[in-house]
Amino acid sequence: ELKVEQNPLFLSMQEGKNYTIYCNYSTTSDRLYWYRQDPGKSLESLFVLLSNGAVKQEGRLMASLDTKARLSTLHITAAVHDLSATYFCAVAPVGGDSNYQLIWGAGTKLIIKP
Amino acid sequence: DTGVSQDPRHKITKRGQNVTFRCDPISEHNRLYWYRQTLGQGPEFLTYFQNEAQLEKSRLLSDRFSAERPKGSFSTLEIQRTEQGDSAMYLCASSLSGSYSYEQYFGPGTRLTVT
């Protein structure tokens, strides 16, 4: 069974601190996506990681992909309250049709306290 | 810049009624997806279209669910004889085939409450 596991599922942290969210997946993949979702809202694309060793950064968020370890990380630097949201990773298995066969993690709910 | 739009944004219906949702994808995108999301969970794939052809349906999609994309543009998702378990957020996404990233862009969702 294809699985995508995120941890932690819930994270409460103070502003100014650093932390990392992990996304492990059980199948071979060369495409991994990070999305953000605010309460009651839809999903906003953050990063698309397309190759082993890919690293992308946007503001205080940095995502990386290690396809050999089947692991992606989303690192938050000097967190601010506006980053409070739920973060999802989604994986496109190799051999599947990447346009639909996305396997989603359960999400990490991030709360950043002032 | 017009993104993916969905209508209605909220729908409250009584058990046993039929409901229909509409999704308008980004205009140049030929692939369209429907997902269902319940509270505290990631999206669950329901079905997807390339142009007007429905190419895949999840086993989650019972016979009460049907989706169409008649002209390869907008799509509708109909749920017949709604059940309380159908209460969820229904998300539509679109993407462009041939794009290297296959990135999916999501609409705002339709929140369905079945009473």
Side-chain angles (χ1 to χ4, degrees):
Chain A
E1 182 185 354
L2 304 175
K3 286 186 179 179
V4 177
E5 295 184 343
Q6 289 183 235
N7 72 82
L9 297 181
F10 179 81
L11 176 58
S12 178
M13 56 192 293
Q14 297 289 329
E15 277 191 331
K17 300 292 187 182
N18 303 333
Y19 210 82
T20 300
I21 298 170
Y22 297 88
C23 175
N24 291 88
Y25 51 97
S26 65
T27 186
T28 304
S29 173
D30 59 358
R31 298 172 192 272
L32 189 137
Y33 307 83
W34 284 97
Y35 284 85
R36 168 183 172 148
Q37 188 173 40
D38 292 298
K41 306 293 185 182
S42 191
L43 293 148
E44 174 191 355
S45 178
L46 293 175
F47 300 109
V48 180
L49 302 170
L50 299 176
S51 61
N52 186 39
V55 177
K56 291 198 173 179
Q57 183 164 4
E58 180 72 33
R60 301 174 187 274
L61 299 177
M62 183 173 71
S64 65
L65 177 62
D66 181 344
T67 58
K68 293 181 181 178
R70 298 182 182 176
L71 170 69
S72 179
T73 61
L74 180 66
H75 187 72
I76 303 147
T77 301
V80 293
H81 178 68
D82 287 351
L83 290 178
S84 297
T86 299
Y87 294 86
F88 291 93
C89 64
V91 170
V94 169
D97 182 339
S98 296
N99 275 267
Y100 76 86
Q101 201 172 348
L102 291 183
I103 312 300
W104 292 78
T108 296
K109 184 172 183 178
L110 176 62
I111 295 176
I112 299 170
K113 301 177 180 178
Chain B
D1 178 25
T2 55
V4 179
S5 61
Q6 292 186 244
D7 184 71
R9 298 289 303 276
H10 303 273
K11 179 71 176 178
I12 300 174
T13 191
K14 292 185 178 179
R15 189 176 54 185
Q17 298 294 306
N18 300 343
V19 294
T20 300
F21 310 141
R22 176 179 171 127
C23 170
D24 287 88
I26 293 171
S27 58
E28 63 268 28
H29 285 183
N30 57 343
R31 295 198 175 194
L32 186 147
Y33 317 79
W34 285 99
Y35 292 88
R36 179 173 64 190
Q37 187 181 26
T38 53
L39 200 62
Q41 300 296 319
E44 294 176 303
F45 167 79
L46 294 179
T47 189
Y48 110 100
F49 293 83
Q50 179 162 320
N51 301 312
E52 65 276 9
Q54 188 174 17
L55 297 186
E56 183 70 19
K57 287 176 63 172
S58 166
R59 64 185 181 277
L60 297 173
L61 217 61
S62 76
D63 291 343
R64 297 184 297 106
F65 289 71
S66 62
E68 293 182 342
R69 194 183 183 197
K71 296 182 180 179
S73 56
F74 74 92
S75 175
T76 58
L77 178 69
E78 181 183 15
I79 308 174
Q80 296 182 326
R81 305 181 304 279
T82 52
E83 302 173 356
Q84 287 189 322
D86 297 330
S87 295
M89 175 78 89
Y90 290 84
L91 295 165
C92 175
S94 69
S95 72
L96 184 62
S97 66
S99 68
Y100 185 62
S101 72
Y102 299 104
E103 188 173 2
Q104 295 184 19
Y105 297 83
F106 283 81
T110 294
R111 181 165 296 283
L112 173 66
T113 302
V114 182
T115 61

